[in-house]
Amino acid sequence: MADDNGEPAEDLVPAVLDAVAFHIQPYRGRNDQSVHDNVKYIIDRYGDHGAFYKYTSSTGKSLPLFYIYDSYLTPPESWSEFLAPTGSHSVRGSAYDSVFIALIVEERHKHDILAGGFDGMYTYFASNGFSFGSSHQNWKAIKAFCDGNNLLFIPSVGPGYIDTSIRPWNNHNTRNRVNGRYYETALQAALNVRPEIVTITSFNEWHEGTQIERAVPKKTVTRVYLDYQPHGADHYLELTRRWAEQFNKEKEQWLM
């Protein structure tokens, strides 16, 4: 299915199944039941694919992982019908049981996420300070809340942010890349709270200026694209690899 900004992605899925977790966007009529139907469809169709991402928890159970964007649009009472073990159409313990990650935007959302029966929360936005959840200074407190309630905390990091080509009024949320330093500051902030998982916003979301894929200088009549000069086209992929290696190394130490 597609939201208002995109095309249906069904035909693309087989092409990108290299290591995929699904990010479920809001769409008209999305609720706990429709997401249940979506999850059932996705697992029935792609669950046996070798690249379908499964998260292995501390109990050793390996389950699919789903990110639910703008999860706060549906009340926790509705989510719990789907995500709590006692819910009217609970997925728990079934063939469709998964790890469900909700979006924390405002501080109060952490209580709703817990009440809704989610397994954790992520912060998504690449602009430090844009929301409570995306502010690096709040990550320690959110992680402590998650640890105390047996939830995963998944901080989201980005290389910078600029969306004024599509939201001309949003200049105050622009974050300069500072040749990679903004990205590294975010990655360090994420690693400081010892998370299980870190997500990156984004690989190729050019219209919000958060892409890390290879980029060369380019301009059209209407637009100048961001490039990574004076660094090379691979600069952010190289930084990502370096920090991923660092993350794995540190994780081993935390577990010792």
Side-chain angles (χ1 to χ4, degrees):
M1 299 171 78
D3 65 8
D4 295 341
N5 301 308
E7 300 290 326
E10 180 67 39
D11 298 340
L12 289 172
V13 175
V16 297
L17 263 176
D18 190 18
V20 169
F22 285 78
H23 192 223
I24 300 183
Q25 299 270 8
Y27 48 79
R28 200 169 284 115
R30 188 183 77 173
N31 59 26
D32 53 294
Q33 185 60 60
S34 73
V35 172
H36 193 163
D37 295 341
N38 300 153
V39 165
K40 186 174 183 305
Y41 175 85
I42 290 167
I43 291 175
D44 283 346
R45 189 163 176 119
Y46 303 114
D48 292 335
H49 194 291
F52 187 72
Y53 180 75
K54 292 195 171 71
Y55 173 74
T56 305
S57 70
S58 50
T59 59
K61 228 158 113 177
S62 200
L63 294 173
L65 187 146
F66 293 93
Y67 294 91
I68 313 293
Y69 185 70
D70 280 359
S71 44
Y72 59 83
L73 294 173
T74 299
E77 306 79 59
S78 299
W79 285 125
S80 66
E81 296 295 346
F82 165 45
L83 297 174
T86 54
S88 61
H89 58 101
S90 177
V91 75
R92 300 306 185 186
S94 76
Y96 304 105
D97 200 355
S98 301
V99 177
F100 294 96
I101 307 297
L103 177 66
I104 177 168
V105 181
E106 298 171 22
E107 183 172 15
R108 65 187 173 88
H109 290 156
K110 65 189 186 189
H111 302 289
D112 293 342
I113 289 166
L114 180 64
F118 284 94
D119 300 290
M121 54 192 81
Y122 74 123
T123 62
Y124 185 74
F125 302 107
S127 186
N128 181 23
F130 168 66
S131 68
F132 174 83
S134 72
S135 301
H136 304 163
Q137 66 182 33
N138 297 326
W139 287 356
K140 202 173 160 196
I142 301 171
K143 176 67 158 60
F145 176 85
C146 288
D147 286 350
N149 290 287
N150 201 25
L151 297 171
L152 284 170
F153 174 52
I154 304 182
S156 305
V157 302
Y161 192 85
I162 179 164
D163 66 356
T164 46
S165 68
I166 54 165
R167 302 182 190 102
W169 66 88
N170 200 29
N171 199 36
H172 61 287
N173 282 312
T174 294
R175 300 292 180 267
N176 193 301
R177 290 181 176 237
V178 210
N179 291 330
R181 286 208 295 281
Y182 180 88
Y183 192 37
E184 295 201 82
T185 300
L187 285 156
Q188 186 61 67
L191 266 59
N192 285 348
V193 301
R194 300 188 166 193
E196 286 286 314
I197 298 172
V198 176
T199 65
I200 297 167
T201 307
S202 66
F203 180 67
N204 61 356
E205 208 155 341
W206 283 82
H207 59 284
E208 293 186 343
T210 59
Q211 79 286 345
I212 62 169
E213 68 174 335
R214 301 188 75 212
V216 295
K218 177 181 171 65
K219 63 174 173 224
T220 66
V221 178
T222 53
R223 173 156 194 184
V224 179
Y225 286 91
L226 281 178
D227 61 63
Y228 309 148
Q229 290 184 320
H231 298 287
D234 282 336
H235 183 52
Y236 288 91
L237 295 180
E238 286 165 4
L239 287 176
T240 304
R241 180 173 58 202
R242 196 185 315 152
W243 279 89
E245 286 167 358
Q246 179 69 20
F247 183 37
N248 286 330
K249 220 184 293 172
E250 288 191 21
K251 259 172 114 171
E252 281 170 22
Q253 291 171 340
W254 305 337
L255 296 171
M256 275 163 75

